[in-house]
């Protein structure tokens, strides 16, 4: 599907959505028509990923979060938002495997932008994003390991409860309030969760090194490294289980 | 297996789905239903109406766990 309105008109629509106290019905209808075009581009990307053996899930940004983003990141234009349409691929893999999957995806769309949030995490968020442009629409493919995804899902839940700004480095609503029966405040919990992302990164790097140097290590070295990795991931899984149970996540 | 499209109505403040998940064969139909529901929920900033696509709902629970925090309760009730 071609875009329903020109690029310049899309950006003007973005300005009106950003500035309006109450969004006009006509503007909402234009946004919906635009999202239908993005939906087609997203479906094409998902099919391409599926035919290459990946199992993506997809989502289009909601109208509310689009308007929030236009306001939060002003003067960003509607046309330049990369994640109006998003596909997510989560699978167990090492960091080297993640690189290989990234390269495989880029080979499908050689002009795609690549943003590696493992090298430059965004307030603890780590993943690899490959962003092709299909029929004039950016589609953000988020490639995550299981631990990167688990971390991101809990962060989303914290943001739901304590304010969306938590995702962008802001203080939670009621920063000094205590959580559950713990002595920690919300502010400390958020800081602790960002630190957990660094622990995940360190463990993923250790696991990656194991894969790289497997053949050049002695049995003793390998056993020690495996014990270290097992212990680290064991503690991490226990923490994740605790947090998931606390927030009712599956 | 073809992609399926799931309409979710999620209350951010309560951290749970507030409507049963509806399933569609086509993304256009699911989006049409989303736009209608968004219109009905206008003014309620806590409500998020979203369409997620996947081969099945289990796949969504892995990649978008956040939405299914209360799904276990709904399924058990």
């Amino acid at each position: 599907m071609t875009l329903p309105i020109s690029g310049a008109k899309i950006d003007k629509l973005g300005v009106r959505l950003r500035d309006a106290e109450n969004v006009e019905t006509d503007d909402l209808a234009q946004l919906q028509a635009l999202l239908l075009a993005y939906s087609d581009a997203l479906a094409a990307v998902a099919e391409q990923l599926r035919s290459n053996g990946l199992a993506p899930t997809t989502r289009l940004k909601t109208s509310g979060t689009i308007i929030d983003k236009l306001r939060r990141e002003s003067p960003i234009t509607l046309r330049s938002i990369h994640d109006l349409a998003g596909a997510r691929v989560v699978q167990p893999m090492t960091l080297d495997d993640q690189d290989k999957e990234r390269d495989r995806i880029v080979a499908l769309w050689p002009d795609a932008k690549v943003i590696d949030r493992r090298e430059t995490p965004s307030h603890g968020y780590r993943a690899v994003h490959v962003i092709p442009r299909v029929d004039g629409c950016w589609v953000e493919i988020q490639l995550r390991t299981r631990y990167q995804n688990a971390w991101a899902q809990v962060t989303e839940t914290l943001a739901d409860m304590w304010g969306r700004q938590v995702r962008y480095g802001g203080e939670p609503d009621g920063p000094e309030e205590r959580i559950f029966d713990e002595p920690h405040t919300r502010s400390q919990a958020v800081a602790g969760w960002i630190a957990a992302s660094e622990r995940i990164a360190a463990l993923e790097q250790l696991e990656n090194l194991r894969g790289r140097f497997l053949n050049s290590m002695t049995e003793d070295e390998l056993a020690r490294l495996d014990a270290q990795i097992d212990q680290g991931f064991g503690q991490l899984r226990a923490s994740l289980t605790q947090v998931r149970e606390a927030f009712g996540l599956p | 297996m073809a992609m399926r499209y799931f309409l979710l109505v999620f209350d951010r403040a309560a951290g749970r789905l507030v409507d049963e998940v509806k399933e569609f064969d086509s993304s256009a139909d699911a989006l049409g239903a989303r736009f209608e529901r968004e219109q009905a929920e206008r003014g309620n900033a806590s409500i998020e109406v979203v369409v997620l696509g996947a081969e099945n709902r289990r796949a969504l629970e892995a990649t978008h766990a956040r939405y299914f925090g209360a799904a276990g309760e709904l399924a058990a009730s």
Side-chain angles (χ1 to χ4, degrees):
Chain A
M1 183 192 279
T2 53
L3 290 171
I5 51 176
S6 71
K9 284 185 176 167
I10 292 171
D11 287 342
K12 283 180 183 164
L13 170 64
V15 170
R16 292 197 301 277
L17 292 171
R18 183 193 68 198
D19 294 343
E21 203 166 311
N22 292 302
V23 175
E24 298 288 337
T25 306
D26 281 355
D27 286 343
L28 212 48
Q30 277 194 34
L31 178 62
Q32 291 171 353
L34 186 65
L35 287 174
L36 279 167
Y38 272 79
S39 170
D40 284 352
L42 179 58
V45 166
E47 280 315 304
Q48 186 82 308
L49 293 172
R50 276 154 49 86
S51 65
N52 280 273
L54 297 168
T57 58
T58 63
R59 73 101 183 85
L60 281 176
K61 224 172 175 56
T62 66
S63 305
T65 52
I66 292 168
I67 294 168
D68 285 348
K69 185 160 191 159
L70 288 166
R71 290 176 181 163
R72 189 179 63 246
E73 297 185 17
S74 178
I76 192 176
T77 61
L78 182 55
R79 226 181 339 166
S80 69
I81 296 179
H82 285 160
D83 64 344
L84 288 181
R88 186 171 294 165
V89 175
V90 177
Q91 54 191 43
M93 56 188 162
T94 65
L95 296 176
D96 281 350
D97 290 339
Q98 196 173 16
D99 286 344
K100 285 178 196 157
E101 292 292 12
R102 173 203 61 203
D103 292 344
R104 226 155 58 88
I105 294 170
V106 169
L108 300 172
W109 296 279
D111 295 330
K113 293 184 184 185
V114 177
I115 298 176
D116 193 335
R117 288 274 169 232
R118 299 170 306 175
E119 289 174 4
T120 53
S122 174
H123 309 292
Y125 174 74
R126 296 171 61 247
V128 175
H129 291 182
V130 180
I131 310 161
R133 196 166 195 184
V134 177
D135 296 333
C137 305
W138 294 112
V139 177
E140 182 177 88
I141 303 165
Q142 301 173 343
L143 180 61
R144 299 177 178 174
T145 66
R146 281 189 306 186
Y147 286 103
Q148 290 164 7
N149 186 58
W151 185 92
Q153 293 300 308
V154 171
T155 304
E156 288 277 1
T157 300
L158 293 178
D160 286 335
M161 294 187 313
W162 299 342
R164 301 286 290 169
Q165 71 279 6
V166 164
R167 299 173 69 205
Y168 313 107
E171 279 283 308
D173 299 337
E176 298 308 317
E177 280 187 38
R178 307 267 167 203
I179 56 167
F180 309 118
D181 298 327
E182 301 287 331
H184 306 104
T185 63
R186 290 180 180 181
S187 201
Q188 289 167 329
V190 170
W193 192 241
I194 290 172
S197 171
E198 290 165 16
R199 284 213 316 277
I200 292 173
L203 279 167
E204 287 188 332
Q205 280 155 13
L206 207 55
E207 185 187 45
N208 208 43
L209 288 175
R210 182 195 187 279
R212 281 188 190 175
F213 298 109
L214 184 62
N215 294 328
S216 57
M217 281 190 285
T218 65
E219 274 187 28
D220 278 355
E221 286 170 338
L222 189 59
R224 277 201 299 276
L225 183 58
D226 280 346
Q228 203 181 342
I229 292 172
D230 286 348
Q231 189 189 15
F233 276 120
Q235 287 170 348
L236 194 59
R237 276 193 295 273
S239 303
L240 276 169
T241 302
Q242 225 174 4
V243 173
R244 278 197 184 117
E245 283 174 2
F247 295 119
L249 288 168
Chain B
M1 190 184 291
M3 288 287 274
R4 312 280 303 160
Y5 298 91
F6 301 82
L7 176 69
L8 278 64
V9 184
F10 182 73
D11 186 332
R12 287 197 196 113
R16 57 179 296 151
L17 291 172
V18 293
D19 202 354
E20 75 272 13
V21 177
K22 296 190 181 83
E23 198 174 326
F24 296 83
D25 294 329
S26 104
S27 64
D29 289 347
L31 271 179
R34 171 191 138 177
F35 297 149
E36 273 181 31
R37 186 62 187 258
E38 268 187 345
Q39 187 63 26
E41 301 288 352
R42 246 178 127 174
N44 188 346
S46 182
I47 296 292
E48 181 175 333
V49 186
V50 67
V51 170
L52 301 177
E55 284 188 359
N56 53 57
R57 180 180 161 146
R58 196 175 174 79
L60 291 181
E61 290 182 12
T63 61
H64 292 78
R66 158 190 174 228
Y67 292 112
F68 298 95
E73 292 168 32
L74 290 176
S77 63

